[in-house]
Amino acid sequence: MKTTRRALSSFLAVLFGFLPLVALAYSDNYLIGVGKHDVTGAAAEVGMMGYADPAQKSSGIHNRQYARAYIIAQPNDGPAVVFVNVDAGALFQSVNQAVVERLRQRFGERYTEQNVVLSATHTHGAAGGQSHYALYNVTIFGFIKENFEAQVNGIVAAVAEAHANLRPGHVLINRGELYDTSINRSQPAYDNNPAEERARYGSSIDPEMVVLRLRQGDRDAGMISWFAVHPVSMNKTNTLLTSDNKGRAEWRFEELARAQGNPDFVASFAQSNHADTTPNLNLDGTGPTRDQFRNTEIIGDRQFDKALALYQGASLQLTGAVDFRHQYNNYSKIRVRPEFGGGQERNTCNAALGYAFAAGTEDGRGLDGVDEGTVETNPLLNLITQTLTPPTEADKACHAPKPIILQQSAFKPYPWSPEVLPASILRIGQFALLAVPGEFTVMAGRRLRETVRGALGDDPWLVVAGLSNAYAGYVTTAEEYDVQHYEGGSTHFGRWTLAAYQQVFHDMAVALRDQQAVISTLAPRDLRNDQHNFLPGVVYDNPPVGKRFGQVVTDAKAQYRVGETAQAVFWTGHPRNNLRTESTFLEVQRKVNGLWQVVARDNDWSTQYHWLRKDGFWGTSQATLRWTIPEGTPAGEYRLVHYGDSKAPVTGRISAFSGASRSFTVQ
């Protein structure tokens, strides 16, 4: 029934367009530009970012990851803002620094750290190793330059594309509520917030979805949806690169636009204050079903369906100035004023993680014997703490009631996580985006929005854009922090971290309201020349004796039906030889009038590309291509085609190759 409803909604959208807009007329008051570029990292033998599990290494592609860029500017070289949604586990400060540097080289002072926000969706299935800080690279075995460059280059290319197609246009906004897509995974911590506050909101998830519809004249150019849910429908047993449930929603929205003849449409499902929300509705790493691939589809489709309805119903036009404020602060040394500190002056702390951080979450548990809610020290864990980074008594008191398991700020010569962090407000008329460098819980995000709303004083539409421009863990309310679930144990700067953010954003909002400049004398450290990689590279590739690269090992069957999975196995090279950015490792082709036409690639939801090392000494590996034949596939003759690259022994020369399965019929 749900599949039928989705098919019907898609058919109607294709038939009637995204929205007929009836007799409404909108003036083009901004310049609008959109762009998209591949940022997929290494598809084999590289650690994935999110679950912090060294055993989770990439072994293929479920779907590709992208940077999707949006520029909104006032005409006649007026102020501009840039929002880039990136299918990534986190958007690290290293990436932000490199992107801004390269944008400055191309565009001068038009796009800088002041008006550019790079935000990660937080998929836990993308390649890692892009950070310059050890806390986020230790399970990846160091800094992975190829993944870093793929992400940086892709973001810059997406922004450049958006700049190149700036056209007169306008933005429509809408919002609604979505309740069947997330659940609070730390309910005891949430329930420690004041009863009257909880009663005012009524739900321990944040159901609000905000959608922007970007149009260039009478043409739809793009869409951005913000909704708070973790992209962890794919669990830590998954080793295929994936953009998870938000990527599923993005793919469906863009495929719908493509079916309407609008292939350049760019759709983003961005992250908000999601820290304590999970899509795994069974609260055991699964849900709604026990199948992680099916769950990804269901949760993604629910976001897609809601966003499409809000997109179609958007009628309020954003009008007014485009503006922005940005500031760096050292969040380990903020003195919180009494109005944000519960009536007293407070201080943030040197960055440290608690026992609950090591416990993990319902989406993926951590150390055995360590539980969420732990506020007492453990002799064994305390020994580890004292050996690695012994905290001072002042540190312990500052972080109380959190028992410290790792004080990442104490490592030398550099801390294991950043403490000088960015904060930004981008404003477009009645709408304002609050860009935060971490993961805010549902209630923390609500409080931040209310703080800014009070400072701006004109009831703007507000969204929290999580994981933006840098990453430094979680942010809880003080009351949630006291309970020390995973989110509280992962709040780096102590009990008053949220209060520090509220103070920073309040002051920026006042400056924005009063058209005053924001003073920022700090800058994050540049660690580009202090990176290390402990992951071996590709030495060489070899097919078995008497075989060649691209040759079929196990061929497809002669015939399949819709719903079945066509599969073929090939001798291949290592995918790290060539990431095939903006390209593919596989194609599904159909013969039409004697010519082979592409019907699917490795980004399509119906395909999977699996890589397997067979002999490490000889350098042999296999690629398995799978195509689950979708409903509506026309009968005909098809084949699976594999593209790869091999590295020669001795010379190290990289050579491209391809191979094709037998042709097979689909009935």
Side-chain angles (χ1 to χ4, degrees):
M1 179 64 72
K2 290 182 179 178
T3 300
T4 302
R5 286 202 301 268
R6 286 199 303 271
L8 179 61
S9 68
S10 297
F11 170 75
L12 292 174
V14 171
L15 183 63
F16 296 111
F18 277 134
L19 181 69
L21 294 179
V22 288
L24 298 177
Y26 298 98
S27 60
D28 290 335
N29 54 332
Y30 300 124
L31 295 177
I32 306 293
V34 300
K36 175 184 172 183
H37 200 275
D38 191 353
V39 296
T40 309
E45 298 188 316
V46 169
M48 297 161 78
M49 175 64 198
Y51 289 111
D53 186 347
Q56 191 192 23
K57 296 182 182 297
S58 58
S59 68
I61 294 177
H62 181 217
N63 66 325
R64 286 187 171 264
Q65 290 76 65
Y66 290 92
R68 294 171 169 89
Y70 306 82
I71 301 175
I72 301 173
Q74 290 181 208
N76 302 317
D77 294 323
V81 293
V82 181
F83 178 76
V84 186
N85 188 59
V86 186
D87 298 325
L91 202 296
F92 294 113
Q93 198 156 60
S94 54
V95 173
N96 177 266
Q97 289 171 304
V99 167
V100 167
E101 181 179 277
R102 296 179 196 185
L103 288 177
R104 185 173 273 115
Q105 291 169 357
R106 296 181 68 163
F107 302 107
E109 296 302 310
R110 183 61 170 165
Y111 308 123
T112 71
E113 67 272 6
Q114 297 290 320
N115 63 341
V116 173
V117 168
L118 314 178
S119 181
T121 61
H122 199 40
T123 173
H124 283 41
Q130 299 93 347
S131 179
H132 284 169
Y133 285 92
L135 183 63
Y136 311 115
N137 287 348
V138 63
T139 60
I140 315 295
F141 299 106
F143 175 74
I144 311 298
K145 186 175 181 180
E146 67 215 79
N147 293 344
F148 175 84
E149 289 295 330
Q151 200 170 91
V152 171
N153 291 335
I155 293 170
V156 172
V159 174
E161 182 181 342
H163 176 83
N165 69 32
L166 280 167
R167 302 287 186 275
H170 57 276
V171 182
L172 306 179
I173 191 168
N174 201 3
R175 62 183 161 200
E177 294 184 338
L178 180 60
Y179 282 98
D180 62 353
T181 303
S182 62
I183 189 171
N184 197 299
R185 70 185 186 189
S186 290
Q187 193 68 38
Y190 180 88
D191 288 343
N192 204 43
N193 290 308
E196 62 275 14
E197 184 178 36
R198 288 184 282 115
R200 185 164 69 252
Y201 291 106
S203 176
S204 60
I205 66 166
D206 193 335
E208 183 174 84
M209 178 183 285
V210 174
V211 168
L212 297 186
R213 178 175 182 175
L214 293 87
R215 290 173 59 79
Q216 294 174 324
D218 59 359
R219 171 184 174 272
D220 285 298
M223 184 281 302
I224 313 173
S225 160
W226 286 272
F227 178 72
V229 66
H230 256 92
V232 290
S233 294
M234 299 294 289
N235 62 46
K236 66 179 181 179
T237 66
N238 167 61
T239 55
L240 299 181
L241 298 181
T242 174
S243 49
D244 211 274
N245 55 62
K246 287 188 177 290
R248 163 72 175 186
E250 290 165 340
W251 177 80
R252 283 203 64 197
F253 217 110
E254 291 176 350
E255 284 298 298
L256 181 57
R258 183 184 301 275
Q260 287 188 261
N262 191 359
D264 298 324
F265 186 91
V266 179
S268 286
F269 282 74
Q271 195 53 268
S272 190
N273 51 314
H274 70 291
D276 48 352
T277 61
T278 176
N280 296 315
L281 304 181
N282 299 330
L283 285 177
D284 63 356
T286 71
T289 76
R290 312 301 294 186
D291 182 332
Q292 62 180 325
F293 290 95
R294 183 73 186 112
N295 292 339
T296 305
E297 292 179 351
I298 292 170
I299 298 300
D301 289 348
R302 289 175 181 176
Q303 291 177 76
F304 164 80
D305 289 338
K306 187 64 181 182
L308 179 60
L310 293 173
Y311 184 90
Q312 291 172 327
S315 59
L316 177 64
Q317 181 177 359
L318 296 184
T319 60
V322 173
D323 208 345
F324 48 87
R325 292 296 183 275
H326 172 275
Q327 189 176 45
Y328 285 110
N329 287 277
N330 185 335
Y331 282 84
S332 69
K333 301 184 183 304
I334 289 183
R335 182 165 294 177
V336 179
R337 301 192 298 267
E339 61 263 36
F340 301 102
Q344 298 181 42
E345 189 175 89
R346 313 285 186 174
N347 292 285
T348 55
C349 315
N350 294 321
L353 298 166
Y355 282 21
F357 166 79
T361 73
E362 288 77 3
D363 300 316
R365 286 301 179 192
L367 294 179
D368 291 337
V370 183
D371 299 318
E372 290 187 281
T374 300
V375 293
E376 301 294 333
T377 58
N378 172 297
L380 178 59
L381 295 180
N382 191 50
L383 177 62
I384 296 173
T385 303
Q386 293 296 331
T387 301
L388 290 176
T389 54
T392 66
E393 291 304 314
D395 290 325
K396 294 177 186 177
C398 189
H399 280 277
K402 178 206 293 179
I404 296 173
I405 193 172
L406 183 74
Q407 186 159 337
Q408 66 268 30
S409 60
F411 283 97
K412 304 296 181 184
Y414 307 111
W416 271 27
S417 64
E419 75 287 1
V420 175
L421 299 165
S424 300
I425 302 177
L426 304 185
R427 182 146 196 190
I428 309 159
Q430 310 96 297
F431 170 78
L433 179 145
L434 315 180
V436 297
E439 304 179 59
F440 278 53
T441 62
V442 165
M443 195 64 85
R446 287 167 172 166
R447 289 187 188 178
L448 183 66
R449 290 198 303 255
E450 289 308 306
T451 295
V452 173
R453 181 171 285 112
L456 289 177
D458 54 0
D459 197 25
W461 295 52
L462 298 174
V463 297
V464 174
L467 303 108
S468 291
N469 290 340
Y471 183 72
Y474 281 67
V475 179
T476 65
T477 68
E479 295 86 352
E480 291 165 346
Y481 183 89
D482 289 343
V483 179
Q484 280 298 294
H485 269 234
Y486 175 82
E487 295 79 13
S490 304
T491 296
H492 287 194
F493 305 108
R495 192 174 189 269
W496 301 103
T497 300
L498 172 59
Y501 278 106
Q502 287 178 278
Q503 179 173 293
V504 167
F505 274 89
H506 171 273
D507 293 351
M508 285 198 300
V510 169
L512 186 63
R513 180 196 68 198
D514 296 343
Q515 290 296 287
Q516 300 296 318
V518 170
I519 305 300
S520 184
T521 59
L522 293 174
R525 61 177 65 84
D526 186 344
L527 297 177
R528 75 181 78 185
N529 296 321
D530 294 277
Q531 298 307 304
H532 304 282
N533 179 2
F534 303 99
L535 187 70
V538 179
V539 180
Y540 53 78
D541 297 295
N542 270 315
V545 175
K547 306 295 182 181
R548 58 177 174 77
F549 292 113
Q551 185 172 347
V552 172
V553 179
T554 305
D555 216 337
K557 296 191 302 184
Q559 183 176 301
Y560 295 93
R561 294 184 180 275
V562 169
E564 294 182 329
T565 299
Q567 176 175 301
V569 182
F570 301 82
W571 293 113
T572 193
H574 203 295
R576 289 183 70 185
N577 294 327
N578 182 349
L579 303 186
R580 296 202 156 259
T581 303
E582 293 281 282
S583 184
T584 185
F585 288 99
L586 75 84
E587 285 181 349
V588 179
Q589 298 178 350
R590 181 189 180 206
K591 185 174 280 188
V592 179
N593 297 325
L595 300 176
W596 289 106
Q597 296 183 355
V598 177
V599 298
R601 308 174 91 203
D602 64 15
N603 182 55
D604 283 271
W605 211 259
S606 60
T607 64
Q608 292 182 15
Y609 159 65
H610 294 256
W611 181 88
L612 178 66
R613 181 181 290 283
K614 298 296 290 184
D615 186 329
F617 176 78
W618 187 249
T620 56
S621 58
Q622 292 178 353
T624 300
L625 311 188
R626 295 175 184 165
W627 177 45
T628 301
I629 304 168
E631 291 183 19
T633 298
E637 184 179 355
Y638 292 81
R639 68 179 183 178
L640 303 176
V641 179
H642 172 46
Y643 299 96
D645 301 86
S646 62
K647 185 174 185 178
V650 184
T651 66
R653 182 186 176 201
I654 305 296
S655 301
F657 62 84
S658 64
S661 73
R662 69 188 296 178
S663 62
F664 54 87
T665 59
V666 172
Q667 294 184 340

